[in-house]
Amino acid sequence: MNETLHLEIVTPFGTVLDEPVQSCMLPGEQGAFQVLKNHASLVSNVDIGLIKVERGSSNTLFATSGGFCEVKDNVIRIIVESAEQAESIDAYRAQQAKERAEQRLAEKKSQIDIHRAELALKRAVNRLKAVEVLKSIH
Amino acid sequence: MATLREIRQRISSVKTTQQITKAMKMVAAAKMRRAQENILAIRPYANEINGLIHHIAESGDDKMDSALMQSRPVEKVLIVVVAADRGLCGAFNSNIIRATENLFEKYKSSSAVELYTIGRKASEYFSKREYPLFKQKTGIFHGLNFEQALEISRDVVSAYEAELFDRVIFVYNEFKSAIQQNLREEVFLPFVAEQPEETTIQDYNEYIYEPDKQSILDALIPKHLNVQVWRILLESNAAEQGARMTAMDNATENAEEIKSKLTLYYNRARQAAITTEISEIVGGAEALKES
């Protein structure tokens, strides 16, 4: 199969990925979707979730905390605030973050705090999920 | 003239000071390098976000608008001052403070002005003089991270949305090079989309928008503001380290100058002492011979 789909993942901390791929699964705000070659031009929100990158033989999994993606002329640009490769996620730290967020939710502070804690919880759960999915593959 | 021992003591004290300033210069240089790398790292992200905003706000028949883009009559102004936590960096802090005071005076006549100080130096200065402070943040530059930028951005955006302020201005030092900082005053809110760097005329007609243009734009602008705050913090941090590096470099050079002057004095005094000693001995010997 010829790989003519190009994927870029850009975060505030630099470009995470910039290479040709076969397909890419993205967590859209209204459900996950997959981008293959010759996909129509698209701009979409990206939710907290997992980005699955397929490169024929090897697949890579990223946990993202949300952002945007643009698809045009077989170039996918994913612009997110964070994208961590599943291999590099520290499960212990994610677990701790999850517990912290749950604790904060239990305290029931102001509306804004609850909203923030909910998001933090979602991110932590997402990272844990990435680690689990990775384990189930191997 | 000072005695030999006094001069020796002064030389050694200048030497110690010089060692400290030299070390500070090295540390500042290393920190500046790191800050510079961070600035380079956010550039692609900032460009992409900016391009997307432009794309969505300007494409199609209907121009898109967002609550954060609408300007209101300016009655309440927030000035966000980005200074440093620590001194010994030349005119870095005083420049920022002076610019803020000027800006404050300018808006004071026509509207209510409050300050949001970032960095201990700004906080100390303005709270001592009883300026109206909206919020203060100190000690963030040691171990600067994105979360802190998010916090500031959230504070500012939610205050703007709650109509506590009609205009938000950031005052900060922009990093130009190690020896040059540019003082910048930027209107942060209401938000104005910049022209993207490369102005390629693109065909936006065939795009699919998920969920729709308005909600994408509404989500995009806060993200853009987050990254702007992050950029400003990084710029200011790099500029601070650059200013400190130059200041410490100057201090090291001055110490060198004082040291060489003092050494000259010391040698002269030593020679004079030896000369008197010799002439005393010679005089003594003459006196012995005569007797």
Side-chain angles (χ1 to χ4, degrees), chain A residues 10-14 41-45 68 70 72 77 79-81 116, chain B residues 41-42 45 48-49 55 146 154 207-211 216 219-220 223 226:
Chain A
V10 194
T11 74
F13 310 100
S41 298
L42 163 91
V43 176
S44 170
N45 284 353
F68 308 91
E70 186 182 13
K72 189 178 167 59
R77 276 202 200 91
I79 306 155
V80 284
E81 285 199 339
R116 274 165 64 178
Chain B
I42 60 161
Y45 181 82
E48 294 289 350
I49 289 256
H55 161 179
F146 193 54
R154 256 189 312 243
Y207 271 90
I208 304 168
Y209 296 97
E210 274 242 6
I216 294 178
L220 255 171
K223 293 263 155 104
N226 290 347

PDB file of all heavy atoms in Angstrom, chain A residues 10-14 41-45 68 70 72 77 79-81 116, chain B residues 41-42 45 48-49 55 146 154 207-211 216 219-220 223 226:
ATOM      1  N   VAL A  10       0.867  18.819  16.222  1.00  0.00           N
ATOM      2  CA  VAL A  10       1.554  20.004  16.752  1.00  0.00           C
ATOM      3  C   VAL A  10       1.006  20.326  18.139  1.00  0.00           C
ATOM      4  O   VAL A  10      -0.202  20.364  18.337  1.00  0.00           O
ATOM      5  CB  VAL A  10       1.335  21.225  15.834  1.00  0.00           C
ATOM      6  CG1 VAL A  10       2.301  22.321  16.181  1.00  0.00           C
ATOM      7  CG2 VAL A  10       1.489  20.836  14.388  1.00  0.00           C
ATOM      8  N   THR A  11       1.888  20.560  19.091  1.00  0.00           N
ATOM      9  CA  THR A  11       1.478  20.965  20.438  1.00  0.00           C
ATOM     10  C   THR A  11       2.263  22.220  20.819  1.00  0.00           C
ATOM     11  O   THR A  11       3.214  22.575  20.132  1.00  0.00           O
ATOM     12  CB  THR A  11       1.781  19.868  21.479  1.00  0.00           C
ATOM     13  OG1 THR A  11       3.185  19.850  21.709  1.00  0.00           O
ATOM     14  CG2 THR A  11       1.306  18.513  21.033  1.00  0.00           C
ATOM     15  N   PRO A  12       1.869  22.882  21.910  1.00  0.00           N
ATOM     16  CA  PRO A  12       2.650  24.067  22.330  1.00  0.00           C
ATOM     17  C   PRO A  12       4.096  23.719  22.688  1.00  0.00           C
ATOM     18  O   PRO A  12       4.913  24.614  22.872  1.00  0.00           O
ATOM     19  CB  PRO A  12       1.901  24.566  23.569  1.00  0.00           C
ATOM     20  CG  PRO A  12       0.548  24.026  23.450  1.00  0.00           C
ATOM     21  CD  PRO A  12       0.663  22.727  22.725  1.00  0.00           C
ATOM     22  N   PHE A  13       4.411  22.452  22.823  1.00  0.00           N
ATOM     23  CA  PHE A  13       5.769  22.084  23.219  1.00  0.00           C
ATOM     24  C   PHE A  13       6.567  21.556  22.046  1.00  0.00           C
ATOM     25  O   PHE A  13       7.617  20.955  22.219  1.00  0.00           O
ATOM     26  CB  PHE A  13       5.720  21.061  24.354  1.00  0.00           C
ATOM     27  CG  PHE A  13       4.807  21.511  25.446  1.00  0.00           C
ATOM     28  CD1 PHE A  13       3.524  21.022  25.543  1.00  0.00           C
ATOM     29  CD2 PHE A  13       5.222  22.492  26.322  1.00  0.00           C
ATOM     30  CE1 PHE A  13       2.667  21.489  26.530  1.00  0.00           C
ATOM     31  CE2 PHE A  13       4.376  22.964  27.306  1.00  0.00           C
ATOM     32  CZ  PHE A  13       3.099  22.463  27.414  1.00  0.00           C
ATOM     33  N   GLY A  14       6.043  21.775  20.854  1.00  0.00           N
ATOM     34  CA  GLY A  14       6.780  21.357  19.680  1.00  0.00           C
ATOM     35  C   GLY A  14       5.974  20.381  18.839  1.00  0.00           C
ATOM     36  O   GLY A  14       4.867  19.987  19.202  1.00  0.00           O
ATOM     37  N   SER A  41     -11.982  17.548   2.703  1.00  0.00           N
ATOM     38  CA  SER A  41     -11.463  18.600   3.564  1.00  0.00           C
ATOM     39  C   SER A  41     -12.359  18.752   4.786  1.00  0.00           C
ATOM     40  O   SER A  41     -13.576  18.707   4.673  1.00  0.00           O
ATOM     41  CB  SER A  41     -11.420  19.928   2.819  1.00  0.00           C
ATOM     42  OG  SER A  41     -10.564  19.818   1.723  1.00  0.00           O
ATOM     43  N   LEU A  42     -11.706  18.931   5.925  1.00  0.00           N
ATOM     44  CA  LEU A  42     -12.480  18.898   7.167  1.00  0.00           C
ATOM     45  C   LEU A  42     -11.783  19.713   8.244  1.00  0.00           C
ATOM     46  O   LEU A  42     -10.556  19.743   8.321  1.00  0.00           O
ATOM     47  CB  LEU A  42     -12.599  17.436   7.614  1.00  0.00           C
ATOM     48  CG  LEU A  42     -13.003  17.131   9.055  1.00  0.00           C
ATOM     49  CD1 LEU A  42     -14.506  16.999   9.137  1.00  0.00           C
ATOM     50  CD2 LEU A  42     -12.347  15.867   9.540  1.00  0.00           C
ATOM     51  N   VAL A  43     -12.594  20.402   9.028  1.00  0.00           N
ATOM     52  CA  VAL A  43     -12.065  20.997  10.256  1.00  0.00           C
ATOM     53  C   VAL A  43     -12.940  20.482  11.382  1.00  0.00           C
ATOM     54  O   VAL A  43     -14.162  20.527  11.283  1.00  0.00           O
ATOM     55  CB  VAL A  43     -12.120  22.535  10.240  1.00  0.00           C
ATOM     56  CG1 VAL A  43     -11.655  23.094  11.572  1.00  0.00           C
ATOM     57  CG2 VAL A  43     -11.269  23.089   9.122  1.00  0.00           C
ATOM     58  N   SER A  44     -12.312  19.961  12.420  1.00  0.00           N
ATOM     59  CA  SER A  44     -13.117  19.403  13.499  1.00  0.00           C
ATOM     60  C   SER A  44     -12.500  19.689  14.854  1.00  0.00           C
ATOM     61  O   SER A  44     -11.282  19.851  14.974  1.00  0.00           O
ATOM     62  CB  SER A  44     -13.254  17.895  13.308  1.00  0.00           C
ATOM     63  OG  SER A  44     -13.833  17.322  14.456  1.00  0.00           O
ATOM     64  N   ASN A  45     -13.350  19.753  15.857  1.00  0.00           N
ATOM     65  CA  ASN A  45     -12.840  19.774  17.228  1.00  0.00           C
ATOM     66  C   ASN A  45     -12.341  18.380  17.577  1.00  0.00           C
ATOM     67  O   ASN A  45     -12.886  17.389  17.112  1.00  0.00           O
ATOM     68  CB  ASN A  45     -13.967  20.130  18.191  1.00  0.00           C
ATOM     69  CG  ASN A  45     -14.295  21.596  18.150  1.00  0.00           C
ATOM     70  OD1 ASN A  45     -13.604  22.362  17.496  1.00  0.00           O
ATOM     71  ND2 ASN A  45     -15.347  21.975  18.850  1.00  0.00           N
ATOM     72  N   PHE A  68      -7.836  20.642  17.928  1.00  0.00           N
ATOM     73  CA  PHE A  68      -8.495  20.719  16.633  1.00  0.00           C
ATOM     74  C   PHE A  68      -7.757  19.862  15.627  1.00  0.00           C
ATOM     75  O   PHE A  68      -6.600  19.512  15.830  1.00  0.00           O
ATOM     76  CB  PHE A  68      -8.503  22.159  16.129  1.00  0.00           C
ATOM     77  CG  PHE A  68      -9.045  23.082  17.148  1.00  0.00           C
ATOM     78  CD1 PHE A  68      -8.204  23.687  18.063  1.00  0.00           C
ATOM     79  CD2 PHE A  68     -10.402  23.294  17.239  1.00  0.00           C
ATOM     80  CE1 PHE A  68      -8.703  24.502  19.044  1.00  0.00           C
ATOM     81  CE2 PHE A  68     -10.911  24.104  18.217  1.00  0.00           C
ATOM     82  CZ  PHE A  68     -10.066  24.711  19.117  1.00  0.00           C
ATOM     83  N   GLU A  70      -7.322  19.552  11.158  1.00  0.00           N
ATOM     84  CA  GLU A  70      -7.666  20.036   9.836  1.00  0.00           C
ATOM     85  C   GLU A  70      -7.179  19.002   8.831  1.00  0.00           C
ATOM     86  O   GLU A  70      -6.028  18.567   8.904  1.00  0.00           O
ATOM     87  CB  GLU A  70      -6.980  21.388   9.597  1.00  0.00           C
ATOM     88  CG  GLU A  70      -7.407  22.025   8.305  1.00  0.00           C
ATOM     89  CD  GLU A  70      -6.701  23.347   8.036  1.00  0.00           C
ATOM     90  OE1 GLU A  70      -5.706  23.639   8.737  1.00  0.00           O
ATOM     91  OE2 GLU A  70      -7.114  24.055   7.120  1.00  0.00           O
ATOM     92  N   LYS A  72      -6.750  18.377   4.759  1.00  0.00           N
ATOM     93  CA  LYS A  72      -6.854  18.967   3.432  1.00  0.00           C
ATOM     94  C   LYS A  72      -5.789  18.367   2.533  1.00  0.00           C
ATOM     95  O   LYS A  72      -4.630  18.255   2.938  1.00  0.00           O
ATOM     96  CB  LYS A  72      -6.670  20.488   3.507  1.00  0.00           C
ATOM     97  CG  LYS A  72      -6.981  21.177   2.186  1.00  0.00           C
ATOM     98  CD  LYS A  72      -6.839  22.678   2.319  1.00  0.00           C
ATOM     99  CE  LYS A  72      -6.841  23.372   0.978  1.00  0.00           C
ATOM    100  NZ  LYS A  72      -8.051  23.162   0.173  1.00  0.00           N
ATOM    101  N   ARG A  77      -3.571  17.784   9.930  1.00  0.00           N
ATOM    102  CA  ARG A  77      -2.879  18.570  10.954  1.00  0.00           C
ATOM    103  C   ARG A  77      -3.668  18.456  12.238  1.00  0.00           C
ATOM    104  O   ARG A  77      -4.833  18.828  12.277  1.00  0.00           O
ATOM    105  CB  ARG A  77      -2.807  20.031  10.555  1.00  0.00           C
ATOM    106  CG  ARG A  77      -1.678  20.295   9.663  1.00  0.00           C
ATOM    107  CD  ARG A  77      -1.268  21.743   9.689  1.00  0.00           C
ATOM    108  NE  ARG A  77      -0.530  21.960   8.477  1.00  0.00           N
ATOM    109  CZ  ARG A  77      -1.078  22.366   7.337  1.00  0.00           C
ATOM    110  NH1 ARG A  77      -2.344  22.674   7.294  1.00  0.00           N
ATOM    111  NH2 ARG A  77      -0.332  22.486   6.267  1.00  0.00           N
ATOM    112  N   ILE A  79      -3.884  19.786  15.901  1.00  0.00           N
ATOM    113  CA  ILE A  79      -3.384  20.882  16.715  1.00  0.00           C
ATOM    114  C   ILE A  79      -3.989  20.711  18.105  1.00  0.00           C
ATOM    115  O   ILE A  79      -5.153  21.023  18.315  1.00  0.00           O
ATOM    116  CB  ILE A  79      -3.799  22.233  16.097  1.00  0.00           C
ATOM    117  CG1 ILE A  79      -3.354  22.287  14.639  1.00  0.00           C
ATOM    118  CG2 ILE A  79      -3.223  23.389  16.872  1.00  0.00           C
ATOM    119  CD1 ILE A  79      -4.173  23.230  13.807  1.00  0.00           C
ATOM    120  N   VAL A  80      -3.230  20.184  19.028  1.00  0.00           N
ATOM    121  CA  VAL A  80      -3.778  19.867  20.348  1.00  0.00           C
ATOM    122  C   VAL A  80      -2.878  20.431  21.444  1.00  0.00           C
ATOM    123  O   VAL A  80      -1.702  20.701  21.214  1.00  0.00           O
ATOM    124  CB  VAL A  80      -3.933  18.339  20.546  1.00  0.00           C
ATOM    125  CG1 VAL A  80      -5.120  17.822  19.784  1.00  0.00           C
ATOM    126  CG2 VAL A  80      -2.663  17.609  20.147  1.00  0.00           C
ATOM    127  N   GLU A  81      -3.452  20.576  22.626  1.00  0.00           N
ATOM    128  CA  GLU A  81      -2.661  21.139  23.724  1.00  0.00           C
ATOM    129  C   GLU A  81      -1.696  20.124  24.310  1.00  0.00           C
ATOM    130  O   GLU A  81      -0.704  20.494  24.920  1.00  0.00           O
ATOM    131  CB  GLU A  81      -3.585  21.719  24.804  1.00  0.00           C
ATOM    132  CG  GLU A  81      -4.163  23.033  24.338  1.00  0.00           C
ATOM    133  CD  GLU A  81      -4.711  23.892  25.453  1.00  0.00           C
ATOM    134  OE1 GLU A  81      -5.020  23.369  26.526  1.00  0.00           O
ATOM    135  OE2 GLU A  81      -4.849  25.108  25.219  1.00  0.00           O
ATOM    136  N   ARG A 116     -13.339  22.235  36.269  1.00  0.00           N
ATOM    137  CA  ARG A 116     -11.918  21.966  36.042  1.00  0.00           C
ATOM    138  C   ARG A 116     -11.527  20.590  36.535  1.00  0.00           C
ATOM    139  O   ARG A 116     -10.757  19.879  35.884  1.00  0.00           O
ATOM    140  CB  ARG A 116     -11.074  23.043  36.723  1.00  0.00           C
ATOM    141  CG  ARG A 116     -10.893  24.245  35.834  1.00  0.00           C
ATOM    142  CD  ARG A 116     -10.391  25.422  36.584  1.00  0.00           C
ATOM    143  NE  ARG A 116      -9.068  25.217  37.138  1.00  0.00           N
ATOM    144  CZ  ARG A 116      -8.420  26.162  37.815  1.00  0.00           C
ATOM    145  NH1 ARG A 116      -8.971  27.337  37.994  1.00  0.00           N
ATOM    146  NH2 ARG A 116      -7.225  25.926  38.294  1.00  0.00           N
TER     147      ARG A 116
ATOM    148  N   ALA B  41       9.608  26.243  20.213  1.00  0.00           N
ATOM    149  CA  ALA B  41       8.721  25.077  20.185  1.00  0.00           C
ATOM    150  C   ALA B  41       7.254  25.471  20.010  1.00  0.00           C
ATOM    151  O   ALA B  41       6.495  24.736  19.393  1.00  0.00           O
ATOM    152  CB  ALA B  41       8.895  24.246  21.452  1.00  0.00           C
ATOM    153  N   ILE B  42       6.829  26.612  20.563  1.00  0.00           N
ATOM    154  CA  ILE B  42       5.407  26.945  20.436  1.00  0.00           C
ATOM    155  C   ILE B  42       5.075  27.584  19.106  1.00  0.00           C
ATOM    156  O   ILE B  42       3.921  27.709  18.761  1.00  0.00           O
ATOM    157  CB  ILE B  42       4.882  27.898  21.543  1.00  0.00           C
ATOM    158  CG1 ILE B  42       5.616  29.213  21.525  1.00  0.00           C
ATOM    159  CG2 ILE B  42       4.871  27.257  22.878  1.00  0.00           C
ATOM    160  CD1 ILE B  42       4.861  30.304  22.249  1.00  0.00           C
ATOM    161  N   TYR B  45       2.725  25.675  16.633  1.00  0.00           N
ATOM    162  CA  TYR B  45       1.381  25.563  17.212  1.00  0.00           C
ATOM    163  C   TYR B  45       0.639  26.890  17.112  1.00  0.00           C
ATOM    164  O   TYR B  45      -0.498  26.941  16.652  1.00  0.00           O
ATOM    165  CB  TYR B  45       1.518  25.125  18.671  1.00  0.00           C
ATOM    166  CG  TYR B  45       0.216  24.932  19.402  1.00  0.00           C
ATOM    167  CD1 TYR B  45      -0.497  23.754  19.268  1.00  0.00           C
ATOM    168  CD2 TYR B  45      -0.283  25.925  20.233  1.00  0.00           C
ATOM    169  CE1 TYR B  45      -1.695  23.570  19.953  1.00  0.00           C
ATOM    170  CE2 TYR B  45      -1.476  25.749  20.917  1.00  0.00           C
ATOM    171  CZ  TYR B  45      -2.173  24.563  20.777  1.00  0.00           C
ATOM    172  OH  TYR B  45      -3.347  24.393  21.451  1.00  0.00           O
ATOM    173  N   GLU B  48      -0.385  27.588  13.543  1.00  0.00           N
ATOM    174  CA  GLU B  48      -1.495  26.749  13.075  1.00  0.00           C
ATOM    175  C   GLU B  48      -2.823  27.259  13.633  1.00  0.00           C
ATOM    176  O   GLU B  48      -3.811  27.362  12.904  1.00  0.00           O
ATOM    177  CB  GLU B  48      -1.298  25.292  13.510  1.00  0.00           C
ATOM    178  CG  GLU B  48      -0.106  24.590  12.880  1.00  0.00           C
ATOM    179  CD  GLU B  48      -0.316  24.284  11.401  1.00  0.00           C
ATOM    180  OE1 GLU B  48      -1.451  24.446  10.929  1.00  0.00           O
ATOM    181  OE2 GLU B  48       0.655  23.914  10.733  1.00  0.00           O
ATOM    182  N   ILE B  49      -2.823  27.562  14.921  1.00  0.00           N
ATOM    183  CA  ILE B  49      -4.065  28.031  15.558  1.00  0.00           C
ATOM    184  C   ILE B  49      -4.509  29.334  14.901  1.00  0.00           C
ATOM    185  O   ILE B  49      -5.668  29.523  14.568  1.00  0.00           O
ATOM    186  CB  ILE B  49      -3.845  28.237  17.068  1.00  0.00           C
ATOM    187  CG1 ILE B  49      -3.690  26.901  17.761  1.00  0.00           C
ATOM    188  CG2 ILE B  49      -4.982  29.049  17.664  1.00  0.00           C
ATOM    189  CD1 ILE B  49      -4.876  26.437  18.548  1.00  0.00           C
ATOM    190  N   HIS B  55      -8.939  31.251   9.003  1.00  0.00           N
ATOM    191  CA  HIS B  55      -9.694  30.446   8.043  1.00  0.00           C
ATOM    192  C   HIS B  55     -11.182  30.467   8.398  1.00  0.00           C
ATOM    193  O   HIS B  55     -12.030  30.754   7.569  1.00  0.00           O
ATOM    194  CB  HIS B  55      -9.100  29.035   8.077  1.00  0.00           C
ATOM    195  CG  HIS B  55      -9.957  27.957   7.523  1.00  0.00           C
ATOM    196  ND1 HIS B  55      -9.551  26.656   7.478  1.00  0.00           N
ATOM    197  CD2 HIS B  55     -11.200  27.971   6.986  1.00  0.00           C
ATOM    198  CE1 HIS B  55     -10.495  25.920   6.945  1.00  0.00           C
ATOM    199  NE2 HIS B  55     -11.508  26.680   6.645  1.00  0.00           N
ATOM    200  N   PHE B 146       3.035  25.199  31.525  1.00  0.00           N
ATOM    201  CA  PHE B 146       1.876  25.590  30.731  1.00  0.00           C
ATOM    202  C   PHE B 146       0.642  25.793  31.606  1.00  0.00           C
ATOM    203  O   PHE B 146      -0.180  26.660  31.336  1.00  0.00           O
ATOM    204  CB  PHE B 146       1.630  24.521  29.665  1.00  0.00           C
ATOM    205  CG  PHE B 146       0.671  24.940  28.599  1.00  0.00           C
ATOM    206  CD1 PHE B 146       0.878  26.108  27.889  1.00  0.00           C
ATOM    207  CD2 PHE B 146      -0.428  24.168  28.291  1.00  0.00           C
ATOM    208  CE1 PHE B 146       0.003  26.494  26.897  1.00  0.00           C
ATOM    209  CE2 PHE B 146      -1.313  24.546  27.302  1.00  0.00           C
ATOM    210  CZ  PHE B 146      -1.097  25.712  26.611  1.00  0.00           C
ATOM    211  N   ARG B 154      -7.272  31.861  31.958  1.00  0.00           N
ATOM    212  CA  ARG B 154      -8.632  31.627  32.446  1.00  0.00           C
ATOM    213  C   ARG B 154      -9.127  32.797  33.293  1.00  0.00           C
ATOM    214  O   ARG B 154     -10.253  33.252  33.138  1.00  0.00           O
ATOM    215  CB  ARG B 154      -8.681  30.337  33.259  1.00  0.00           C
ATOM    216  CG  ARG B 154      -9.326  29.193  32.499  1.00  0.00           C
ATOM    217  CD  ARG B 154      -9.547  28.003  33.387  1.00  0.00           C
ATOM    218  NE  ARG B 154      -8.359  27.674  34.155  1.00  0.00           N
ATOM    219  CZ  ARG B 154      -7.688  26.518  34.048  1.00  0.00           C
ATOM    220  NH1 ARG B 154      -8.064  25.604  33.212  1.00  0.00           N
ATOM    221  NH2 ARG B 154      -6.649  26.277  34.795  1.00  0.00           N
ATOM    222  N   TYR B 207     -15.012  22.573   2.618  1.00  0.00           N
ATOM    223  CA  TYR B 207     -14.723  22.025   3.936  1.00  0.00           C
ATOM    224  C   TYR B 207     -15.958  21.483   4.629  1.00  0.00           C
ATOM    225  O   TYR B 207     -17.065  22.005   4.480  1.00  0.00           O
ATOM    226  CB  TYR B 207     -14.102  23.100   4.831  1.00  0.00           C
ATOM    227  CG  TYR B 207     -12.606  23.170   4.725  1.00  0.00           C
ATOM    228  CD1 TYR B 207     -11.988  23.994   3.803  1.00  0.00           C
ATOM    229  CD2 TYR B 207     -11.820  22.396   5.568  1.00  0.00           C
ATOM    230  CE1 TYR B 207     -10.616  24.053   3.710  1.00  0.00           C
ATOM    231  CE2 TYR B 207     -10.448  22.450   5.490  1.00  0.00           C
ATOM    232  CZ  TYR B 207      -9.849  23.282   4.557  1.00  0.00           C
ATOM    233  OH  TYR B 207      -8.501  23.339   4.480  1.00  0.00           O
ATOM    234  N   ILE B 208     -15.723  20.430   5.398  1.00  0.00           N
ATOM    235  CA  ILE B 208     -16.759  19.943   6.306  1.00  0.00           C
ATOM    236  C   ILE B 208     -16.380  20.499   7.681  1.00  0.00           C
ATOM    237  O   ILE B 208     -15.214  20.475   8.059  1.00  0.00           O
ATOM    238  CB  ILE B 208     -16.747  18.398   6.382  1.00  0.00           C
ATOM    239  CG1 ILE B 208     -16.903  17.789   4.997  1.00  0.00           C
ATOM    240  CG2 ILE B 208     -17.806  17.901   7.341  1.00  0.00           C
ATOM    241  CD1 ILE B 208     -16.614  16.312   4.960  1.00  0.00           C
ATOM    242  N   TYR B 209     -17.345  20.996   8.402  1.00  0.00           N
ATOM    243  CA  TYR B 209     -17.043  21.498   9.737  1.00  0.00           C
ATOM    244  C   TYR B 209     -17.751  20.654  10.780  1.00  0.00           C
ATOM    245  O   TYR B 209     -18.951  20.401  10.667  1.00  0.00           O
ATOM    246  CB  TYR B 209     -17.464  22.966   9.881  1.00  0.00           C
ATOM    247  CG  TYR B 209     -16.683  23.866   8.973  1.00  0.00           C
ATOM    248  CD1 TYR B 209     -17.207  24.257   7.746  1.00  0.00           C
ATOM    249  CD2 TYR B 209     -15.413  24.301   9.338  1.00  0.00           C
ATOM    250  CE1 TYR B 209     -16.486  25.061   6.901  1.00  0.00           C
ATOM    251  CE2 TYR B 209     -14.690  25.114   8.500  1.00  0.00           C
ATOM    252  CZ  TYR B 209     -15.224  25.494   7.276  1.00  0.00           C
ATOM    253  OH  TYR B 209     -14.502  26.292   6.440  1.00  0.00           O
ATOM    254  N   GLU B 210     -17.001  20.211  11.748  1.00  0.00           N
ATOM    255  CA  GLU B 210     -17.554  19.355  12.787  1.00  0.00           C
ATOM    256  C   GLU B 210     -17.309  19.965  14.147  1.00  0.00           C
ATOM    257  O   GLU B 210     -16.148  20.186  14.482  1.00  0.00           O
ATOM    258  CB  GLU B 210     -16.867  17.986  12.754  1.00  0.00           C
ATOM    259  CG  GLU B 210     -17.500  17.056  11.799  1.00  0.00           C
ATOM    260  CD  GLU B 210     -18.053  15.842  12.500  1.00  0.00           C
ATOM    261  OE1 GLU B 210     -18.052  15.770  13.742  1.00  0.00           O
ATOM    262  OE2 GLU B 210     -18.489  14.964  11.778  1.00  0.00           O
ATOM    263  N   PRO B 211     -18.257  20.279  14.975  1.00  0.00           N
ATOM    264  CA  PRO B 211     -19.698  20.217  14.727  1.00  0.00           C
ATOM    265  C   PRO B 211     -20.170  21.337  13.795  1.00  0.00           C
ATOM    266  O   PRO B 211     -20.929  21.071  12.889  1.00  0.00           O
ATOM    267  CB  PRO B 211     -20.300  20.370  16.123  1.00  0.00           C
ATOM    268  CG  PRO B 211     -19.216  20.895  16.990  1.00  0.00           C
ATOM    269  CD  PRO B 211     -17.912  20.628  16.347  1.00  0.00           C
ATOM    270  N   ILE B 216     -16.589  25.686  16.622  1.00  0.00           N
ATOM    271  CA  ILE B 216     -15.140  25.538  16.473  1.00  0.00           C
ATOM    272  C   ILE B 216     -14.454  26.853  16.829  1.00  0.00           C
ATOM    273  O   ILE B 216     -13.488  26.887  17.587  1.00  0.00           O
ATOM    274  CB  ILE B 216     -14.768  25.094  15.047  1.00  0.00           C
ATOM    275  CG1 ILE B 216     -15.286  23.684  14.778  1.00  0.00           C
ATOM    276  CG2 ILE B 216     -13.253  25.110  14.868  1.00  0.00           C
ATOM    277  CD1 ILE B 216     -15.020  23.185  13.396  1.00  0.00           C
ATOM    278  N   ALA B 219     -14.375  27.557  20.460  1.00  0.00           N
ATOM    279  CA  ALA B 219     -13.385  26.754  21.181  1.00  0.00           C
ATOM    280  C   ALA B 219     -11.965  27.185  20.839  1.00  0.00           C
ATOM    281  O   ALA B 219     -11.056  27.088  21.654  1.00  0.00           O
ATOM    282  CB  ALA B 219     -13.581  25.277  20.844  1.00  0.00           C
ATOM    283  N   LEU B 220     -11.807  27.669  19.604  1.00  0.00           N
ATOM    284  CA  LEU B 220     -10.463  28.026  19.130  1.00  0.00           C
ATOM    285  C   LEU B 220      -9.888  29.239  19.852  1.00  0.00           C
ATOM    286  O   LEU B 220      -8.713  29.247  20.222  1.00  0.00           O
ATOM    287  CB  LEU B 220     -10.527  28.373  17.641  1.00  0.00           C
ATOM    288  CG  LEU B 220      -9.994  27.374  16.644  1.00  0.00           C
ATOM    289  CD1 LEU B 220     -10.361  27.824  15.249  1.00  0.00           C
ATOM    290  CD2 LEU B 220      -8.506  27.191  16.752  1.00  0.00           C
ATOM    291  N   LYS B 223      -8.260  28.751  23.196  1.00  0.00           N
ATOM    292  CA  LYS B 223      -7.011  27.996  23.008  1.00  0.00           C
ATOM    293  C   LYS B 223      -5.917  28.933  22.515  1.00  0.00           C
ATOM    294  O   LYS B 223      -4.763  28.858  22.934  1.00  0.00           O
ATOM    295  CB  LYS B 223      -7.209  26.867  21.984  1.00  0.00           C
ATOM    296  CG  LYS B 223      -8.134  25.774  22.450  1.00  0.00           C
ATOM    297  CD  LYS B 223      -7.372  24.611  23.007  1.00  0.00           C
ATOM    298  CE  LYS B 223      -8.164  23.857  23.931  1.00  0.00           C
ATOM    299  NZ  LYS B 223      -8.821  22.800  24.075  1.00  0.00           N
ATOM    300  N   ASN B 226      -4.775  31.068  25.356  1.00  0.00           N
ATOM    301  CA  ASN B 226      -3.880  30.302  26.232  1.00  0.00           C
ATOM    302  C   ASN B 226      -2.463  30.325  25.711  1.00  0.00           C
ATOM    303  O   ASN B 226      -1.508  30.567  26.457  1.00  0.00           O
ATOM    304  CB  ASN B 226      -4.310  28.832  26.288  1.00  0.00           C
ATOM    305  CG  ASN B 226      -5.602  28.637  27.041  1.00  0.00           C
ATOM    306  OD1 ASN B 226      -6.057  29.554  27.723  1.00  0.00           O
ATOM    307  ND2 ASN B 226      -6.189  27.471  26.909  1.00  0.00           N
TER     308      ASN B 226
END
